Amino acid sequence: MDHDEELMRGRVYGQDHDDPHPGPQPGRAYTELTGGPLDGLLLDITGWSPDRIGAGAALETGLGRYGATGRSLYQPRPGATHHFDWAGDIHA
């Protein structure tokens, strides 16, 4: 199974857990979140510029160190365009 096929099986960050179609949609671009509280979820980066991707993401989640008021930081993995690695949690 190739990486694109694996991505199409995952659940997308921000989708409701009971959504009947929580997976990725054709024609969209995704990166896999690796490590931390959102490990294994996909992040929709469709339309993001290379600079925006390079900046990473601070994602709201109640699962991190600071609960409902926190964000988990994810940074792009050098040389791996399909992965953002967990870099820690912050209090928002």
Side-chain angles (χ1 to χ4, degrees):
M1 177 181 333
D2 69 14
H3 184 73
D4 288 337
E5 191 174 327
E6 287 180 41
L7 281 177
M8 292 309 287
R9 294 176 179 227
R11 200 174 117 236
V12 178
Y13 167 80
Q15 297 287 8
D16 289 336
H17 69 280
D18 58 353
D19 186 323
H21 304 289
Q25 302 298 310
R28 310 287 300 175
Y30 299 93
T31 189
E32 183 177 355
L33 301 175
T34 305
L38 302 174
D39 185 53
L41 293 180
L42 302 176
L43 178 64
D44 187 344
I45 58 169
T46 303
W48 289 26
S49 70
D51 286 342
R52 173 67 182 95
I53 291 170
L59 304 172
E60 294 180 10
T61 180
L63 302 173
R65 179 177 182 183
Y66 299 103
T69 62
R71 293 178 184 261
S72 287
L73 303 176
Y74 284 85
Q75 297 296 319
R77 182 181 297 173
T81 59
H82 293 297
H83 290 279
F84 273 20
D85 293 319
W86 181 63
D89 294 325
I90 61 170
H91 190 267

